Amino acid sequence: PLQCQLHHVDLNKCPSYEALSYEWGDPQKECIILLTNESHISITRSLYNALRDLRDQKLPRLLWADGICIHQDDIEERQKQVSIMGVIYSKAYRVLTYTGPERDSSTIAIDFAYELLRKHQSGEISNPNSEDYPVDLGLPPLSDPRYLALKKLILRGWSTRSWCAQEFCCAKQVCVRAYHAYVSGHI
């Protein structure tokens, strides 16, 4: 089972942390996280999957996740926290974007995104000036099945959440994950 420790911190004096961006999915809180004081909290299946797939078996990590850090049943607290979400995500040293478990060739999509990012950063991808686009850019042809896998990954439920654009844009560094595959970079 997952275990965690809760820390209350002042955002103006907080230690280095990561913030989680994920698809909420079904709001039923059907999963349990054990706390170090022998109590527990209930969380959604999607948050449980994200925490399970993101955890490091050897090292602890300091992570902010709205489904844990905001008392969702307290409307006043929830409104107060929502008003500072931009600050929470911008102060994180990295935003972990969890798009869900492996499906629809998401590992292939993440590997392809990494390849495209690497080609862009190295200058291998040129500017579009011809009718042979995208082949002339140094990219595979549009018939390559990796484009479809990438499209399916991008169109997952995470990208339809209105908060995700803010969470993504406020980040200093982003790590997009699908199950154990990931691509990471500075914004």
Side-chain angles (χ1 to χ4, degrees):
L2 293 176
Q3 274 191 302
C4 75
Q5 215 174 12
L6 296 180
H7 298 275
H8 294 275
V9 297
D10 180 338
L11 260 178
N12 296 316
K13 302 173 191 168
C14 62
S16 183
Y17 67 95
E18 297 169 292
L20 177 61
S21 177
Y22 65 103
E23 177 186 359
W24 262 68
D26 186 346
Q28 284 286 79
K29 293 182 178 180
E30 60 185 44
C31 299
I32 301 291
I33 294 182
L34 301 175
L35 301 176
T36 52
N37 66 0
E38 298 185 18
S39 63
H40 69 276
I41 55 174
S42 299
I43 60 171
T44 64
R45 167 67 55 196
S46 59
L47 178 54
Y48 183 88
N49 289 343
L51 295 173
R52 180 200 60 215
D53 292 348
L54 294 169
R55 75 175 161 184
D56 186 321
Q57 297 286 349
K58 296 178 181 131
L59 299 171
R61 71 186 328 156
L62 195 54
L63 181 68
W64 186 93
D66 59 359
I68 296 172
C69 298
I70 299 174
H71 182 50
Q72 299 295 325
D73 297 329
D74 182 335
I75 303 298
E76 188 176 322
E77 179 189 337
R78 193 170 66 201
Q79 288 174 337
K80 181 180 175 190
Q81 294 292 320
V82 164
S83 72
I84 60 170
M85 293 286 268
V87 174
I88 291 168
Y89 281 88
S90 65
K91 286 190 176 253
Y93 80 86
R94 178 169 60 181
V95 172
L96 299 170
T97 299
Y98 182 76
T99 62
E102 168 62 43
R103 71 174 189 269
D104 298 326
S105 303
S106 57
T107 299
I108 291 170
I110 292 285
D111 291 344
F112 187 45
Y114 177 76
E115 178 186 330
L116 294 175
L117 178 64
R118 186 188 53 73
K119 283 184 173 194
H120 173 70
Q121 290 172 336
S122 70
E124 290 178 51
I125 298 175
S126 60
N127 290 324
N129 289 329
S130 79
E131 293 176 15
D132 291 332
Y133 170 82
V135 177
D136 191 42
L137 297 174
L139 298 173
L142 289 175
S143 59
D144 189 311
R146 295 178 297 173
Y147 285 112
L148 179 58
L150 187 56
K151 178 182 177 181
K152 286 180 178 181
L153 178 69
I154 291 168
L155 294 176
R156 280 189 176 186
W158 169 83
S159 66
T160 63
R161 284 185 63 216
S162 60
W163 296 108
C164 290
Q166 177 183 4
E167 295 164 1
F168 194 85
C169 292
C170 287
K172 296 176 184 116
Q173 180 183 5
V174 172
C175 178
V176 177
R177 290 193 58 152
Y179 189 52
H180 293 291
Y182 69 93
V183 61
S184 186
H186 292 276
I187 295 198

